[in-house]
Amino acid sequence: MRVGHPNSHSQTLERKPAPFLRAIVILSLFCFGFFGSRSALACQVCVTLPEASLADHLITADVVVLAAPAPGNPFKFVPKRQIIGAQTDLERTPDIPFLVDSRTRAAFRANPSMTVLMTFGTVTKDGAGRGVSRKWTRIFNLTPEREEFLNALWAEKNLWPGGKSASGARVAFFARYLSHKDQVLRDTALIEIDRVPYSSIQILRNTVAADNLLREFDSLGRLSFVPVAIRLLGLQHNDEKAKRIVRSRYPGSILRSSGYAYDWALAGIAVDGPTAVDAIGSALQAANVKQDHKESLIRALTDSGTVSPGLRDQIIPIFSRELAQDSQTAMEIAIAMRNWDETRLDAQLGKLLHMEDIDPVTQFIIQTKLSSKD
């Protein structure tokens, strides 16, 4: 994993699971009550960012070592110092499979005492909670600043309930690195913040300078970080530059099928509240709105209504109108109404159950939502 070098993709690229897979994911999350995390439909950038963060690897690893070239073989890594795990754990691991590339060999020649942080383990669990597919992961070349980061991580990780990525303590920890001069640590923080629910980053209001966030817009190599930068821009209420940028961009983004429509809509609502909600409601009524764009806007309304309950009286009539015109959004709206413990659309959702074109997953979710009030 090289967190400092995310893959570049087109600005309009948006991760969309196949319809059937998407429905199964939503159904699973709905049934098991996991919609406290970011909506399965809201992930627009994680196709280009690691599914497991650096912290995931460090926290769940069986073995953590500092590696260096083997004596007599400058192309082969061997453990030089073990940080986590018993010696017997290390003895049971396979050899480190990574070759020492030419750039790293040059770095070792310049600094023979340098080491590379590596982990052995898994962040993937089976149904019984057991780790599967254990492997070596290369994290980063160790520097004094990264060593300070690791020491802080080891010291604070026990404050994160179950290591959950959405815990306030974990979000606050990584927020300290959002403006770090070390790009690897900065990218690590952005990856962590990107993957937590929108509700979990509300503690980052007025904590990041707009200029630091706008750096993500400067090169194609940073495009994968643009969505999280947009969401954070919307939270910088005391930064006039941040508000000016958001107000200049969100109206156009919500009117066209932009890959960042969800993020700009969230930022717009965070800055302009009811005005932005009205603009999104109007955009949903525009002719020939693409379905994926419509879903992005509905997700933004849902997440904004979750963090700002005062907007729900304005959002619910928009949802009601959408249900009357397009049953394809019923699943997302039913989930929102369930999470808000809201009953005003129950009668309208109930009528959809008698429509022949309602798919079984949507039908089941509506039925589950309606039965939850009993």
Side-chain angles (χ1 to χ4, degrees):
M1 177 181 69
R2 294 178 179 272
V3 294
H5 299 281
N7 296 328
S8 299
H9 283 268
S10 168
Q11 178 173 345
T12 59
L13 181 62
E14 185 169 339
R15 178 185 176 187
K16 295 291 182 186
F20 178 76
L21 177 59
R22 169 176 166 273
I24 293 301
V25 168
I26 294 173
L27 177 59
S28 300
L29 293 175
F30 186 90
C31 291
F32 292 100
F34 292 154
F35 263 84
S37 61
R38 180 167 25 144
S39 167
L41 302 180
C43 184
Q44 297 185 322
V45 64
C46 51
V47 69
T48 60
L49 294 181
E51 290 291 343
S53 71
L54 178 151
D56 291 330
H57 285 282
L58 292 172
I59 293 170
T60 63
D62 300 316
V63 173
V64 179
V65 302
L66 296 177
N73 186 350
F75 300 97
K76 177 181 174 63
F77 276 113
V78 293
K80 184 176 181 181
R81 174 182 154 206
Q82 187 170 354
I83 299 176
I84 297 293
Q87 178 63 29
T88 53
D89 294 328
L90 179 59
E91 291 170 355
R92 287 195 293 265
T93 65
D95 289 344
I96 296 172
F98 313 116
L99 293 175
V100 184
D101 57 71
S102 58
R103 179 181 296 182
T104 306
R105 290 198 302 275
F108 276 116
R109 286 194 297 270
N111 180 13
S113 64
M114 187 187 84
T115 54
V116 179
L117 186 72
M118 296 192 184
T119 65
F120 181 80
T122 179
V123 294
T124 304
K125 306 291 183 181
D126 63 15
R130 297 169 298 194
V132 296
S133 302
R134 285 177 169 80
K135 63 180 181 178
W136 282 104
T137 300
R138 177 173 176 170
I139 305 298
F140 50 47
N141 296 350
L142 197 65
T143 66
E145 288 184 331
R146 294 174 190 175
E147 187 169 6
E148 288 180 8
F149 164 82
L150 289 174
N151 290 335
L153 177 68
W154 301 134
E156 296 193 30
K157 66 183 180 67
N158 291 330
L159 300 176
W160 309 339
K164 291 181 179 178
S165 62
S167 73
R170 182 164 173 165
V171 171
F173 173 83
F174 283 99
R176 305 203 304 254
Y177 298 90
L178 284 171
S179 302
H180 203 282
K181 63 181 180 180
D182 185 328
Q183 191 68 64
V184 170
L185 297 183
R186 174 179 164 80
D187 290 354
T188 296
L190 286 167
I191 290 169
E192 284 280 339
I193 302 303
D194 172 76
R195 68 201 208 122
V196 302
Y198 185 59
S199 58
S200 295
I201 68 170
Q202 300 305 300
I203 63 173
L204 303 184
R205 292 174 183 269
N206 303 315
T207 58
V208 191
D211 286 339
N212 285 331
L213 296 171
L214 292 172
R215 286 161 51 189
E216 308 310 326
F217 297 77
D218 290 342
S219 71
L220 291 175
R222 304 297 298 170
L223 282 181
S224 56
F225 293 107
V226 166
V228 65
I230 294 170
R231 297 195 292 276
L232 288 171
L233 272 176
L235 298 180
Q236 311 315 308
H237 295 170
N238 293 342
D239 192 318
E240 291 301 320
K241 185 172 186 178
K243 291 194 292 187
R244 186 169 64 252
I245 294 294
V246 170
R247 285 172 173 153
S248 71
R249 295 294 300 273
Y250 87 80
S253 184
I254 64 177
L255 285 173
R256 61 179 182 272
S257 188
S258 162
Y260 302 145
Y262 165 78
D263 309 283
W264 282 118
L266 280 180
I269 296 172
V271 169
D272 282 342
T275 301
V277 172
D278 279 342
I280 293 171
S282 297
L284 286 167
Q285 290 298 291
N288 301 319
V289 182
K290 293 182 179 179
Q291 188 64 29
D292 59 347
H293 183 59
K294 180 177 290 190
E295 291 171 359
S296 294
L297 298 183
I298 289 198
R299 294 198 305 272
L301 290 173
T302 296
D303 288 349
S304 296
T306 297
V307 301
S308 301
L311 295 174
R312 293 177 188 177
D313 286 346
Q314 187 181 4
I315 293 172
I316 287 173
I318 296 174
F319 284 173
S320 176
R321 188 176 63 205
E322 285 304 305
L323 288 175
Q325 298 177 355
D326 181 9
S327 62
Q328 293 186 68
T329 59
M331 181 162 55
E332 291 82 2
I333 293 173
I335 291 170
M337 295 301 95
R338 171 190 180 272
N339 291 345
W340 294 355
D341 196 24
E342 175 60 56
T343 61
R344 277 178 279 180
L345 298 183
D346 283 4
Q348 199 169 358
L349 288 167
K351 291 179 181 179
L352 295 179
L353 293 175
H354 304 292
M355 295 178 59
E356 293 183 356
D357 59 345
I358 291 291
D359 65 88
V361 175
T362 299
Q363 186 177 48
F364 175 82
I365 289 177
I366 292 175
Q367 289 172 333
T368 305
K369 192 280 172 207
L370 296 180
S371 65
S372 65
K373 67 180 181 179
D374 299 331

